Short mmCIF file of all heavy atoms in Angstrom, two decimals:
data_model
loop_
_atom_site.label_atom_id
_atom_site.label_comp_id
_atom_site.label_asym_id
_atom_site.label_seq_id
_atom_site.Cartn_x
_atom_site.Cartn_y
_atom_site.Cartn_z
N ASN T 46 -3.58 7.50 13.24
CA ASN T 46 -3.55 6.09 12.88
C ASN T 46 -4.41 5.36 13.92
O ASN T 46 -4.02 5.24 15.07
CB ASN T 46 -2.11 5.56 12.94
CG ASN T 46 -1.98 4.21 12.29
OD1 ASN T 46 -1.76 4.14 11.09
ND2 ASN T 46 -2.13 3.11 13.05
N ARG T 47 -5.63 4.95 13.49
CA ARG T 47 -6.58 4.39 14.42
C ARG T 47 -6.87 5.43 15.51
O ARG T 47 -7.37 6.48 15.21
CB ARG T 47 -6.11 3.05 15.00
CG ARG T 47 -5.82 1.98 13.96
CD ARG T 47 -5.23 0.77 14.62
NE ARG T 47 -4.69 -0.15 13.63
CZ ARG T 47 -5.21 -1.31 13.36
NH1 ARG T 47 -6.30 -1.73 13.93
NH2 ARG T 47 -4.63 -2.10 12.48
N ASP T 48 -6.50 5.09 16.74
CA ASP T 48 -6.74 6.00 17.88
C ASP T 48 -5.43 6.67 18.36
O ASP T 48 -5.41 7.25 19.44
CB ASP T 48 -7.41 5.27 19.03
CG ASP T 48 -6.59 4.13 19.55
OD1 ASP T 48 -5.57 3.76 18.95
OD2 ASP T 48 -6.96 3.59 20.62
N THR T 49 -4.40 6.59 17.57
CA THR T 49 -3.12 7.18 17.89
C THR T 49 -2.88 8.45 17.04
O THR T 49 -3.10 8.43 15.84
CB THR T 49 -1.97 6.17 17.61
OG1 THR T 49 -2.24 4.97 18.37
CG2 THR T 49 -0.62 6.74 17.94
N PHE T 50 -2.47 9.50 17.73
CA PHE T 50 -2.22 10.78 17.08
C PHE T 50 -0.73 11.10 17.21
O PHE T 50 -0.18 11.06 18.31
CB PHE T 50 -3.06 11.87 17.73
CG PHE T 50 -4.55 11.66 17.54
CD1 PHE T 50 -5.25 10.79 18.40
CD2 PHE T 50 -5.20 12.25 16.50
CE1 PHE T 50 -6.59 10.57 18.22
CE2 PHE T 50 -6.54 12.02 16.30
CZ PHE T 50 -7.26 11.16 17.17
N LEU T 51 -0.09 11.41 16.08
CA LEU T 51 1.35 11.62 16.05
C LEU T 51 1.60 12.99 15.37
O LEU T 51 0.91 13.38 14.47
CB LEU T 51 2.06 10.55 15.25
CG LEU T 51 1.81 9.11 15.67
CD1 LEU T 51 2.34 8.14 14.64
CD2 LEU T 51 2.37 8.84 17.03
N THR T 52 2.69 13.61 15.79
CA THR T 52 3.17 14.82 15.15
C THR T 52 4.67 14.70 14.96
O THR T 52 5.42 14.52 15.91
CB THR T 52 2.84 16.09 15.98
OG1 THR T 52 1.44 16.13 16.19
CG2 THR T 52 3.29 17.33 15.25
N GLY T 53 5.10 14.85 13.71
CA GLY T 53 6.54 14.87 13.39
C GLY T 53 7.09 13.54 12.94
O GLY T 53 6.62 12.46 13.33
N ARG T 54 8.09 13.65 12.10
CA ARG T 54 8.75 12.47 11.52
C ARG T 54 9.35 11.56 12.59
O ARG T 54 9.31 10.34 12.46
CB ARG T 54 9.82 12.95 10.55
CG ARG T 54 10.34 11.85 9.66
CD ARG T 54 11.45 12.30 8.75
NE ARG T 54 10.90 13.11 7.67
CZ ARG T 54 11.64 13.90 6.84
NH1 ARG T 54 12.93 13.97 7.06
NH2 ARG T 54 11.05 14.56 5.89
N ALA T 55 9.91 12.16 13.66
CA ALA T 55 10.52 11.33 14.73
C ALA T 55 9.48 10.45 15.39
O ALA T 55 9.73 9.26 15.65
CB ALA T 55 11.23 12.22 15.74
N GLU T 56 8.27 10.99 15.64
CA GLU T 56 7.23 10.19 16.25
C GLU T 56 6.74 9.11 15.31
O GLU T 56 6.43 7.98 15.70
CB GLU T 56 6.04 11.08 16.69
CG GLU T 56 6.31 11.88 17.92
CD GLU T 56 5.08 12.64 18.44
OE1 GLU T 56 3.95 12.31 18.05
OE2 GLU T 56 5.27 13.58 19.23
N VAL T 57 6.67 9.43 14.01
CA VAL T 57 6.25 8.47 13.01
C VAL T 57 7.28 7.30 12.97
O VAL T 57 6.89 6.11 12.96
CB VAL T 57 6.12 9.09 11.59
CG1 VAL T 57 5.99 8.05 10.53
CG2 VAL T 57 4.90 10.02 11.61
N THR T 58 8.55 7.62 12.98
CA THR T 58 9.59 6.61 12.95
C THR T 58 9.46 5.69 14.14
O THR T 58 9.53 4.45 14.01
CB THR T 58 11.00 7.26 12.88
OG1 THR T 58 11.06 8.11 11.74
CG2 THR T 58 12.08 6.20 12.81
N ALA T 59 9.32 6.24 15.35
CA ALA T 59 9.18 5.43 16.55
C ALA T 59 7.92 4.58 16.50
O ALA T 59 7.95 3.38 16.88
CB ALA T 59 9.18 6.33 17.78
N PHE T 60 6.84 5.12 16.02
CA PHE T 60 5.58 4.40 15.89
C PHE T 60 5.75 3.19 14.95
O PHE T 60 5.36 2.07 15.27
CB PHE T 60 4.46 5.33 15.36
CG PHE T 60 3.20 4.62 15.01
CD1 PHE T 60 2.25 4.38 15.97
CD2 PHE T 60 2.99 4.21 13.71
CE1 PHE T 60 1.08 3.71 15.63
CE2 PHE T 60 1.79 3.54 13.38
CZ PHE T 60 0.85 3.29 14.35
N LEU T 61 6.38 3.42 13.80
CA LEU T 61 6.56 2.36 12.82
C LEU T 61 7.51 1.27 13.32
O LEU T 61 7.26 0.08 13.11
CB LEU T 61 7.05 2.91 11.47
CG LEU T 61 6.06 3.80 10.71
CD1 LEU T 61 6.72 4.44 9.51
CD2 LEU T 61 4.80 3.01 10.33
N ARG T 62 8.53 1.68 14.04
CA ARG T 62 9.48 0.70 14.62
C ARG T 62 8.72 -0.21 15.58
O ARG T 62 8.86 -1.44 15.50
CB ARG T 62 10.59 1.44 15.35
CG ARG T 62 11.70 0.53 15.80
CD ARG T 62 12.88 1.33 16.38
NE ARG T 62 13.50 2.14 15.38
CZ ARG T 62 13.53 3.51 15.44
NH1 ARG T 62 12.96 4.15 16.44
NH2 ARG T 62 14.13 4.18 14.51
N GLU T 63 7.88 0.36 16.41
CA GLU T 63 7.14 -0.45 17.38
C GLU T 63 6.08 -1.30 16.66
O GLU T 63 5.90 -2.47 16.98
CB GLU T 63 6.48 0.51 18.41
CG GLU T 63 5.98 -0.18 19.67
CD GLU T 63 4.61 -0.79 19.51
OE1 GLU T 63 3.79 -0.23 18.75
OE2 GLU T 63 4.36 -1.83 20.11
N LYS T 64 5.41 -0.72 15.69
CA LYS T 64 4.40 -1.46 14.90
C LYS T 64 4.98 -2.71 14.31
O LYS T 64 4.40 -3.81 14.47
CB LYS T 64 3.86 -0.53 13.81
CG LYS T 64 2.97 -1.20 12.76
CD LYS T 64 2.65 -0.22 11.61
CE LYS T 64 1.86 -0.80 10.52
NZ LYS T 64 0.50 -1.22 10.88
N TRP T 65 6.09 -2.57 13.62
CA TRP T 65 6.65 -3.74 12.92
C TRP T 65 7.39 -4.69 13.86
O TRP T 65 7.74 -5.80 13.42
CB TRP T 65 7.48 -3.28 11.74
CG TRP T 65 6.62 -2.75 10.65
CD1 TRP T 65 5.41 -3.23 10.26
CD2 TRP T 65 6.88 -1.60 9.82
NE1 TRP T 65 4.89 -2.47 9.23
CE2 TRP T 65 5.74 -1.46 8.94
CE3 TRP T 65 7.90 -0.67 9.74
CZ2 TRP T 65 5.68 -0.44 8.01
CZ3 TRP T 65 7.80 0.35 8.81
CH2 TRP T 65 6.69 0.44 7.93
N SER T 66 7.59 -4.31 15.11
CA SER T 66 8.09 -5.29 16.09
C SER T 66 6.98 -6.19 16.58
O SER T 66 7.23 -7.31 17.03
CB SER T 66 8.76 -4.58 17.26
OG SER T 66 7.78 -3.97 18.09
N ARG T 67 5.70 -5.73 16.46
CA ARG T 67 4.52 -6.54 16.85
C ARG T 67 3.86 -7.20 15.66
O ARG T 67 3.33 -8.30 15.83
CB ARG T 67 3.43 -5.58 17.44
CG ARG T 67 3.58 -5.07 18.76
CD ARG T 67 2.36 -4.31 19.25
NE ARG T 67 1.43 -3.76 18.25
CZ ARG T 67 1.57 -2.61 17.57
NH1 ARG T 67 2.58 -1.83 17.84
NH2 ARG T 67 0.68 -2.22 16.70
N GLU T 68 3.81 -6.53 14.54
CA GLU T 68 3.09 -7.04 13.36
C GLU T 68 4.16 -7.75 12.46
O GLU T 68 4.75 -7.17 11.59
CB GLU T 68 2.41 -5.92 12.59
CG GLU T 68 1.33 -5.27 13.43
CD GLU T 68 0.60 -4.14 12.73
OE1 GLU T 68 0.97 -3.75 11.58
OE2 GLU T 68 -0.32 -3.58 13.36
N LEU T 69 4.32 -9.04 12.73
CA LEU T 69 5.38 -9.84 12.11
C LEU T 69 4.98 -10.32 10.71
O LEU T 69 3.79 -10.62 10.45
CB LEU T 69 5.71 -11.01 12.99
CG LEU T 69 6.03 -10.64 14.44
CD1 LEU T 69 6.21 -11.87 15.30
CD2 LEU T 69 7.25 -9.72 14.52
N ASP T 70 5.96 -10.38 9.81
CA ASP T 70 5.74 -10.77 8.40
C ASP T 70 4.66 -9.94 7.74
O ASP T 70 3.88 -10.40 6.90
CB ASP T 70 5.43 -12.28 8.29
CG ASP T 70 6.59 -13.15 8.73
OD1 ASP T 70 7.73 -12.76 8.39
OD2 ASP T 70 6.38 -14.15 9.41
N TYR T 71 4.67 -8.68 8.07
CA TYR T 71 3.72 -7.67 7.53
C TYR T 71 3.85 -7.59 6.03
O TYR T 71 4.95 -7.51 5.47
CB TYR T 71 4.07 -6.33 8.17
CG TYR T 71 3.37 -5.11 7.64
CD1 TYR T 71 2.31 -4.56 8.31
CD2 TYR T 71 3.82 -4.49 6.48
CE1 TYR T 71 1.68 -3.41 7.85
CE2 TYR T 71 3.22 -3.31 6.04
CZ TYR T 71 2.14 -2.80 6.73
OH TYR T 71 1.54 -1.64 6.28
N ALA T 72 2.71 -7.63 5.33
CA ALA T 72 2.69 -7.46 3.86
C ALA T 72 1.43 -6.68 3.48
O ALA T 72 0.33 -6.99 3.95
CB ALA T 72 2.67 -8.82 3.17
N LEU T 73 1.61 -5.67 2.65
CA LEU T 73 0.61 -4.64 2.38
C LEU T 73 0.27 -4.53 0.92
O LEU T 73 1.09 -4.67 0.05
CB LEU T 73 1.16 -3.28 2.86
CG LEU T 73 0.46 -2.00 2.46
CD1 LEU T 73 -0.84 -1.84 3.20
CD2 LEU T 73 1.38 -0.82 2.73
N ARG T 74 -1.01 -4.22 0.66
CA ARG T 74 -1.49 -3.84 -0.68
C ARG T 74 -2.30 -2.55 -0.55
O ARG T 74 -3.20 -2.48 0.29
CB ARG T 74 -2.35 -4.91 -1.34
CG ARG T 74 -1.66 -6.22 -1.58
CD ARG T 74 -0.59 -6.06 -2.68
NE ARG T 74 0.04 -7.34 -2.93
CZ ARG T 74 1.08 -7.84 -2.30
NH1 ARG T 74 1.64 -7.21 -1.30
NH2 ARG T 74 1.60 -9.00 -2.64
N LYS T 75 -2.01 -1.56 -1.40
CA LYS T 75 -2.78 -0.30 -1.41
C LYS T 75 -3.42 -0.17 -2.78
O LYS T 75 -2.88 -0.61 -3.79
CB LYS T 75 -1.83 0.90 -1.19
CG LYS T 75 -1.31 1.01 0.22
CD LYS T 75 -0.53 2.30 0.38
CE LYS T 75 0.07 2.41 1.76
NZ LYS T 75 -0.88 2.81 2.79
N GLU T 76 -4.53 0.55 -2.80
CA GLU T 76 -5.24 0.82 -4.03
C GLU T 76 -5.67 2.27 -4.05
O GLU T 76 -6.24 2.75 -3.05
CB GLU T 76 -6.46 -0.08 -4.18
CG GLU T 76 -7.23 0.14 -5.46
CD GLU T 76 -8.48 -0.72 -5.55
OE1 GLU T 76 -8.69 -1.56 -4.68
OE2 GLU T 76 -9.26 -0.51 -6.51
N LEU T 77 -5.45 2.94 -5.14
CA LEU T 77 -5.92 4.31 -5.32
C LEU T 77 -7.45 4.33 -5.26
O LEU T 77 -8.10 3.57 -5.94
CB LEU T 77 -5.46 4.88 -6.66
CG LEU T 77 -5.95 6.29 -7.00
CD1 LEU T 77 -5.39 7.34 -6.02
CD2 LEU T 77 -5.55 6.62 -8.43
N TRP T 78 -7.98 5.22 -4.43
CA TRP T 78 -9.42 5.36 -4.32
C TRP T 78 -9.87 6.62 -5.06
O TRP T 78 -10.79 6.61 -5.85
CB TRP T 78 -9.83 5.42 -2.84
CG TRP T 78 -11.29 5.35 -2.60
CD1 TRP T 78 -12.11 6.40 -2.36
CD2 TRP T 78 -12.10 4.17 -2.60
NE1 TRP T 78 -13.41 5.94 -2.17
CE2 TRP T 78 -13.44 4.59 -2.31
CE3 TRP T 78 -11.87 2.84 -2.80
CZ2 TRP T 78 -14.48 3.69 -2.23
CZ3 TRP T 78 -12.92 1.94 -2.72
CH2 TRP T 78 -14.20 2.39 -2.43
N SER T 79 -9.15 7.72 -4.80
CA SER T 79 -9.51 9.01 -5.40
C SER T 79 -8.32 9.97 -5.26
O SER T 79 -7.40 9.72 -4.45
CB SER T 79 -10.73 9.59 -4.66
OG SER T 79 -11.17 10.78 -5.24
N PHE T 80 -8.36 11.03 -6.02
CA PHE T 80 -7.29 12.07 -5.93
C PHE T 80 -7.82 13.38 -6.42
O PHE T 80 -8.79 13.44 -7.22
CB PHE T 80 -6.05 11.65 -6.79
CG PHE T 80 -6.35 11.60 -8.23
CD1 PHE T 80 -6.16 12.71 -9.05
CD2 PHE T 80 -6.86 10.43 -8.82
CE1 PHE T 80 -6.45 12.65 -10.42
CE2 PHE T 80 -7.19 10.38 -10.18
CZ PHE T 80 -6.99 11.47 -10.98
N GLN T 81 -7.23 14.45 -5.94
CA GLN T 81 -7.54 15.79 -6.43
C GLN T 81 -6.46 16.75 -5.91
O GLN T 81 -6.14 16.73 -4.71
CB GLN T 81 -8.91 16.29 -5.94
CG GLN T 81 -9.26 17.65 -6.48
CD GLN T 81 -10.68 18.04 -6.07
OE1 GLN T 81 -11.41 17.31 -5.46
NE2 GLN T 81 -11.05 19.25 -6.50
N ASP T 82 -5.93 17.52 -6.82
CA ASP T 82 -4.92 18.51 -6.46
C ASP T 82 -3.77 17.91 -5.65
O ASP T 82 -2.97 17.16 -6.17
CB ASP T 82 -5.53 19.71 -5.72
CG ASP T 82 -6.61 20.39 -6.56
OD1 ASP T 82 -6.47 20.43 -7.77
OD2 ASP T 82 -7.63 20.84 -5.97
N ASP T 83 -3.69 18.21 -4.35
CA ASP T 83 -2.59 17.72 -3.50
C ASP T 83 -3.01 16.62 -2.54
O ASP T 83 -2.38 16.38 -1.54
CB ASP T 83 -1.98 18.88 -2.73
CG ASP T 83 -2.94 19.52 -1.74
OD1 ASP T 83 -4.17 19.21 -1.78
OD2 ASP T 83 -2.49 20.37 -0.92
N ARG T 84 -4.16 15.97 -2.85
CA ARG T 84 -4.71 14.95 -1.97
C ARG T 84 -4.95 13.64 -2.67
O ARG T 84 -5.31 13.62 -3.87
CB ARG T 84 -6.01 15.44 -1.35
CG ARG T 84 -5.73 16.64 -0.49
CD ARG T 84 -6.96 17.28 0.03
NE ARG T 84 -6.55 18.49 0.73
CZ ARG T 84 -7.24 19.08 1.63
NH1 ARG T 84 -8.44 18.63 1.95
NH2 ARG T 84 -6.79 20.15 2.24
N ILE T 85 -4.74 12.57 -1.95
CA ILE T 85 -5.01 11.21 -2.45
C ILE T 85 -5.72 10.42 -1.36
O ILE T 85 -5.37 10.54 -0.17
CB ILE T 85 -3.67 10.50 -2.84
CG1 ILE T 85 -2.97 11.21 -3.98
CG2 ILE T 85 -3.92 9.02 -3.17
CD1 ILE T 85 -1.60 10.63 -4.35
N ALA T 86 -6.70 9.61 -1.76
CA ALA T 86 -7.37 8.68 -0.86
C ALA T 86 -7.06 7.29 -1.35
O ALA T 86 -7.10 7.01 -2.53
CB ALA T 86 -8.87 8.94 -0.84
N VAL T 87 -6.73 6.39 -0.39
CA VAL T 87 -6.44 5.02 -0.72
C VAL T 87 -7.24 4.08 0.22
O VAL T 87 -7.63 4.47 1.29
CB VAL T 87 -4.94 4.69 -0.59
CG1 VAL T 87 -4.10 5.50 -1.55
CG2 VAL T 87 -4.45 4.85 0.81
N ARG T 88 -7.45 2.87 -0.31
CA ARG T 88 -7.92 1.79 0.57
C ARG T 88 -6.79 0.75 0.54
O ARG T 88 -6.00 0.70 -0.40
CB ARG T 88 -9.25 1.24 0.10
CG ARG T 88 -9.24 0.57 -1.19
CD ARG T 88 -10.65 0.11 -1.54
NE ARG T 88 -10.61 -0.64 -2.80
CZ ARG T 88 -11.66 -1.35 -3.24
NH1 ARG T 88 -12.78 -1.36 -2.57
NH2 ARG T 88 -11.56 -2.00 -4.36
N PHE T 89 -6.74 -0.03 1.61
CA PHE T 89 -5.65 -0.96 1.69
C PHE T 89 -6.03 -2.17 2.54
O PHE T 89 -7.02 -2.17 3.24
CB PHE T 89 -4.40 -0.30 2.32
CG PHE T 89 -4.60 0.20 3.71
CD1 PHE T 89 -4.39 -0.64 4.79
CD2 PHE T 89 -4.98 1.51 3.94
CE1 PHE T 89 -4.59 -0.16 6.10
CE2 PHE T 89 -5.20 1.97 5.22
CZ PHE T 89 -4.98 1.13 6.30
N GLN T 90 -5.21 -3.21 2.37
CA GLN T 90 -5.29 -4.40 3.21
C GLN T 90 -3.83 -4.75 3.54
O GLN T 90 -2.94 -4.60 2.69
CB GLN T 90 -5.92 -5.54 2.45
CG GLN T 90 -7.35 -5.37 2.11
CD GLN T 90 -7.88 -6.55 1.31
OE1 GLN T 90 -7.41 -7.67 1.43
NE2 GLN T 90 -8.89 -6.30 0.50
N TYR T 91 -3.63 -5.28 4.75
CA TYR T 91 -2.35 -5.85 5.05
C TYR T 91 -2.57 -7.06 5.95
O TYR T 91 -3.60 -7.16 6.63
CB TYR T 91 -1.33 -4.86 5.61
CG TYR T 91 -1.62 -4.23 6.92
CD1 TYR T 91 -1.30 -4.84 8.12
CD2 TYR T 91 -2.20 -2.95 6.96
CE1 TYR T 91 -1.53 -4.23 9.33
CE2 TYR T 91 -2.45 -2.35 8.17
CZ TYR T 91 -2.11 -2.98 9.33
OH TYR T 91 -2.35 -2.34 10.53
N GLU T 92 -1.60 -7.94 5.93
CA GLU T 92 -1.65 -9.14 6.76
C GLU T 92 -0.35 -9.20 7.59
O GLU T 92 0.69 -8.75 7.14
CB GLU T 92 -1.81 -10.38 5.91
CG GLU T 92 -3.17 -10.46 5.22
CD GLU T 92 -3.34 -11.61 4.29
OE1 GLU T 92 -2.35 -12.36 4.03
OE2 GLU T 92 -4.47 -11.81 3.81
N PHE T 93 -0.52 -9.81 8.77
CA PHE T 93 0.62 -10.00 9.66
C PHE T 93 0.21 -11.08 10.67
O PHE T 93 -0.95 -11.46 10.77
CB PHE T 93 1.00 -8.71 10.36
CG PHE T 93 -0.07 -8.20 11.31
CD1 PHE T 93 -0.05 -8.55 12.67
CD2 PHE T 93 -1.10 -7.42 10.84
CE1 PHE T 93 -1.03 -8.10 13.54
CE2 PHE T 93 -2.10 -6.95 11.71
CZ PHE T 93 -2.07 -7.29 13.07
N HIS T 94 1.20 -11.57 11.39
CA HIS T 94 0.89 -12.43 12.56
C HIS T 94 1.51 -11.80 13.77
O HIS T 94 2.48 -11.07 13.69
CB HIS T 94 1.33 -13.88 12.31
CG HIS T 94 2.79 -14.06 12.23
ND1 HIS T 94 3.58 -14.26 13.34
CD2 HIS T 94 3.63 -14.12 11.18
CE1 HIS T 94 4.84 -14.41 12.97
NE2 HIS T 94 4.91 -14.32 11.66
#
Side-chain angles (χ1 to χ4, degrees):
N46 193 88
R47 302 175 192 250
D48 61 350
T49 301
F50 296 83
L51 307 169
T52 302
R54 192 182 285 165
E56 286 186 18
V57 168
T58 303
F60 172 85
L61 293 173
R62 188 175 295 116
E63 196 276 328
K64 169 187 177 65
W65 289 321
S66 73
R67 284 187 339 275
E68 296 180 358
L69 307 174
D70 294 320
Y71 172 100
L73 167 73
R74 297 293 182 272
K75 290 186 183 282
E76 180 183 354
L77 176 64
W78 189 260
S79 183
F80 64 92
Q81 183 175 357
D82 301 326
D83 63 349
R84 296 174 185 202
I85 295 175
V87 298
R88 64 182 185 170
F89 62 87
Q90 295 177 26
Y91 63 86
E92 293 176 351
F93 66 93
H94 67 86

